[in-house]
């Protein structure tokens, strides 16, 4: 992939055409009264941002420069267009700031522009730029924004320094990045890819395990925090015992169904007692009524009165009377006596049934008392509803505990399985190290050449680069000058310069489908300028070398005008300010900024 | 009913009430009294006199406790 042209529609700045070799984005001082004006904030990085934007960088709050420029109105209604070619095929991509994630326009071989949404465009672009037909490892077209940042290194803030080229995306760890590195080197990245997936699975499991551990600690005062397996096991056993005891307790509850039966029985007895009491109450009322009735019956025989009654009756019915006066008197006597006898008999019977009921009540009350005593002695329940409540509580506790233990065990099992897989990968990484030793040697040669070209005065160090296995999380380690103290605070600038260029040249030697450009924003800010001259000469040489094979590369960098470079180095005329300005693909000054006065 | 002091209206009215009750079922003396007492204000003496009158008229009979209509 070669870059050809970048411009905006409608036009903000003159279209920038890219060329083979070094492409300067030049910050030039002005020979006016304002020459002291800073070369910062004139749009060098913003230009690179626009290029990155067309290659589908995330456009949001995080992309501070572009976002700020848009909010100030400089980019409203603007579309950025990048033209590039791959193996002679022309491509163009248009992305607008008003609608950056939908309606991205794409053209191939001068075809009509077709619209894509961001996700589809990323996948398509990734395949076009990176896909290799004969690659033996794992590749995904979701990797565009993981691979492009290797080739485009822009600073988000002023004075932000270069980061480790092996860890070229700040937020991403080596475990993930290794698979991209190996892919870019055309080495089989299967081990790194699988390791990344396993480590991810492990990463997802660990918080869950931690959550359950803290649950145990808080709720059951079981400390699982020690890393010792034995401690965890003994704690789990303790937990298991507690769980079994709880389980047993619940089972006992279940066995003693008689509890509920007893409760029911007690309720029945209570109802019966109430019924008997009520019957007795009624009978007592009746006795009272009878006794009252007798009390007010002071009837005397009044023989005289009966005689008169009998006489009057005789007058009335004369012959028809068969009863004698004595019989009549006796009848009335009998009536009175008979009623009294009846009442006393009734009262006696009522009293007897009251007594019988009282006996029955005593018997039932004793039975009921036994049940209550039994339940109270068990201390399990004061009444049925409380028993059910406690049962439910226990059940819930048990369920929760058992659930957590089960999950914990599943997770631990899963964790062990994953760790086993990772161990296997560690073994594979050892073999891998041997398998790729030839390649590592070849890449080392490229890296050493680049290194020696830029630092010709330093001793020839043969072992500055290696790919090897490690017991660390990434399992494969790419090591390159990470421990050197030679370059001061510009260490990562130098490392990025050498490593990135070497990877670029390697992919050219191997004819890999990948970008043929490197973009370094402010790479020489913290690097001795002498090295810049050496790099320039090295690129001149390589450009000619590759041209013979019909290949070319592009090195795009931002560069600020320097004061004294011409006086100190023999070949410094090659990078004099005038020459750079002459060669630059874009020159910006404090009064001629990229976006006007932004 | 003409001069008859004791065989008065009261006795006759209560008598007819008792006959009505006994047509349905027999009663013991106490229950019959309570039943009649609910409808009419009556003292024991009048109650007993009425029963005696009904017995003399061969309308009712009694065994130990029960009073019933003579068939």
């Amino acid at each position: 992939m070669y870059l050809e042209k970048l411009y905006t529609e409608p036009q903000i700045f003159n279209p920038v055409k890219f060329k083979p070799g070094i492409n300067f984005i030049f910050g030039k001082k002005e020979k006016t009264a304002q020459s002291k004006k800073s070369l910062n904030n004139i749009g060098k990085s913003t230009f690179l941002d626009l290029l990155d934007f067309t290659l589908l960088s995330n456009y949001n709050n995080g992309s501070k420069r572009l976002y700020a420029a848009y909010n100030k109105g400089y980019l409203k209604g603007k579309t950025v267009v990048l033209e590039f070619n791959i193996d002679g095929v022309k491509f163009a991509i248009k992305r607008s700031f008003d609608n950056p994630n939908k309606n991205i326009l794409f053209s191939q071989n001068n075809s009509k522009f077709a619209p894509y949404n961001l996700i589809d465009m990323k996948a398509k672009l990734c395949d076009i730029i990176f896909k290799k037909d004969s690659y033996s490892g794992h590749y995904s077209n979701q990797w565009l924004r993981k691979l492009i940042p290797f080739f485009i290194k822009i600073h988000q803030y002023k004075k932000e320094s270069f980061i480790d080229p092996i860890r070229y995306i700040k937020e991403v760890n080596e475990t993930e990045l290794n698979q991209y590195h190996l892919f870019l080197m055309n080495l089989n990245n299967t081990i790194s890819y699988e390791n990344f997936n396993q480590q991810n699975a492990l990463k997802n499991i660990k918080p869950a395990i931690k959550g359950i551990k803290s649950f145990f600690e808080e709720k059951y005062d079981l400390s699982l925090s020690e890393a010792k397996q034995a401690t965890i096991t003994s704690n789990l056993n303790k937990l298991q015992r507690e769980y079994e005891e709880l389980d047993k307790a619940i089972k006992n509850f279940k066995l003693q169904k008689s509890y509920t039966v007893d409760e029911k029985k007690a309720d029945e007895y209570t109802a019966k007692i109430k019924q008997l009491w009520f019957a007795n109450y009624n009978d007592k009322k009746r006795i009272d009524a009878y006794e009252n009735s007798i009390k007010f019956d002071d009837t005397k025989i009044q023989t005289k009165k009966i005689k008169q009654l009998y006489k009057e009756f005789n007058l009335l019915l004369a012959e028809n009377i068969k009863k004698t006066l004595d019989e009549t008197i006796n009848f009335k006597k009998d009536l009175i006596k008979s009623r009294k006898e009846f009442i006393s008999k009734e009262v006696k019977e009522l009293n007897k049934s009251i007594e019988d009921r009282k006996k029955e009540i005593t018997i039932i009350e004793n039975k009921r008392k036994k049940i209550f005593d039994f339940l109270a002695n068990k201390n399990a329940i004061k009444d049925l509803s409380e028993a059910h409540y406690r049962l439910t509580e226990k059940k819930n506790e048990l369920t929760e505990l058992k659930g957590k233990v089960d999950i914990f065990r599943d997770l631990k099992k899963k964790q062990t399985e994953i760790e086993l897989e990772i161990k296997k990968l560690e073994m594979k990484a050892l073999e891998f190290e041997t398998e790729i030793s030839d390649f590592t040697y070849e890449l080392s040669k490229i890296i050493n050449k680049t290194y020696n070209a830029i630092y010709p005065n330093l001793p020839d160090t043969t072992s500055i680069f290696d790919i090897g296995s490690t017991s660390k999380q990434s399992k494969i380690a790419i090591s390159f000058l990470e421990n050197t103290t030679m370059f001061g605070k510009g260490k990562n600038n130098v490392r990025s310069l050498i490593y990135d260029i070497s990877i670029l040249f390697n992919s050219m030697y191997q004819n890999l489908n990948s970008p043929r450009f490197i973009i370094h924003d402010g790479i020489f800010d913290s690097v001795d300028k002498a090295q810049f001259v050496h790099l320039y000469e090295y690129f001149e040489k390589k450009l000619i070398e590759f041209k013979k094979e019909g290949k070319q590369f592009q090195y795009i960098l931002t560069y600020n005008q320097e004061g004294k470079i011409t006086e100190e180095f023999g070949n410094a005329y090659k990078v004099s300010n005038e020459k750079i300005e002459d060669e630059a693909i874009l020159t910006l000054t404090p009064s001629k900024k990229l976006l006007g006065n932004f | 009913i003409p001069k008859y002091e004791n065989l008065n209206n009261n006795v006759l009215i209560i008598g007819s009430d008792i006959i009505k009750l006994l047509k349905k079922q027999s009663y013991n003396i106490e229950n019959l009294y309570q039943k009649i007492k609910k409808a009419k204000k009556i003292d024991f003496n009048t109650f007993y006199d009425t029963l005696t009158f009904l017995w003399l008229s061969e309308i009712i009979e009694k065994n130990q406790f029960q009073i019933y209509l003579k068939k």
Side-chain angles (χ1 to χ4, degrees), chain A residues 290 293 297 299 302 305 308 312-313 316 323 327-328 331-332 334-336 338-339 342-343 345, chain B residues 4-7 28-30 34 44-45 48-49 51-53 55-58 62 64-65 67:
Chain A
Y290 281 141
S293 188
D297 181 5
T299 312
Q302 295 172 312
K305 206 181 170 203
Q308 284 172 336
E312 285 170 12
F313 198 65
L316 199 63
K323 323 273 189 197
E327 280 176 319
T328 306
F331 179 76
K332 190 174 175 183
D334 188 41
L335 270 181
I336 294 168
S338 165
R339 176 171 169 263
F342 169 77
I343 285 179
K345 180 177 155 282
Chain B
Y4 302 119
E5 277 175 40
N6 296 297
L7 204 58
N28 72 50
I29 303 167
E30 172 64 13
Q34 297 296 347
F44 285 108
N45 225 345
Y48 291 140
D49 283 351
L51 284 177
T52 305
F53 162 69
W55 176 74
L56 268 176
S57 311
E58 309 279 348
K62 97 173 248 304
Q64 193 189 1
F65 300 125
I67 305 285

Side-chain angles (χ1 to χ4, degrees), chain A residues 128-171:
Chain A
I128 289 172
I129 299 173
F130 291 105
K131 195 173 184 184
K132 295 179 277 202
D133 292 334
S134 57
Y135 182 56
S136 57
H138 178 85
Y139 160 79
S140 158
N141 62 13
Q142 305 298 303
W143 285 359
L144 181 74
R145 293 308 306 179
K146 297 288 168 70
L147 296 170
I148 286 285
F150 180 83
F151 298 91
I152 301 181
K153 292 179 177 168
I154 312 173
H155 298 321
Q156 288 305 313
Y157 313 97
K158 267 174 286 182
K159 305 292 178 198
E160 187 185 44
S161 58
F162 268 76
I163 59 171
D164 185 337
I166 310 300
R167 296 199 50 180
Y168 62 90
I169 302 176
K170 217 186 315 188
E171 301 78 13

Side-chain angles (χ1 to χ4, degrees), chain B residues 14-47:
Chain B
I14 288 163
S16 70
D17 280 352
I18 287 172
I19 291 166
K20 270 183 209 163
L21 283 171
L22 290 176
K23 271 185 178 169
K24 289 176 190 164
Q25 62 167 97
S26 66
Y27 282 87
N28 72 50
I29 303 167
E30 172 64 13
N31 287 355
L32 187 61
Y33 170 68
Q34 297 296 347
K35 198 90 181 160
I36 291 293
K37 196 177 150 225
K38 267 186 182 171
K40 303 271 192 311
K41 209 173 177 185
I42 181 180
D43 63 337
F44 285 108
N45 225 345
T46 309
F47 176 65

Side-chain angles (χ1 to χ4, degrees), chain A residues 147 199 275 304 308 442 503 593:
Chain A
L147 296 170
Q199 298 285 1
Q275 204 185 333
K304 196 179 165 193
Q308 284 172 336
E442 288 302 318
I503 294 296
K593 297 179 179 176

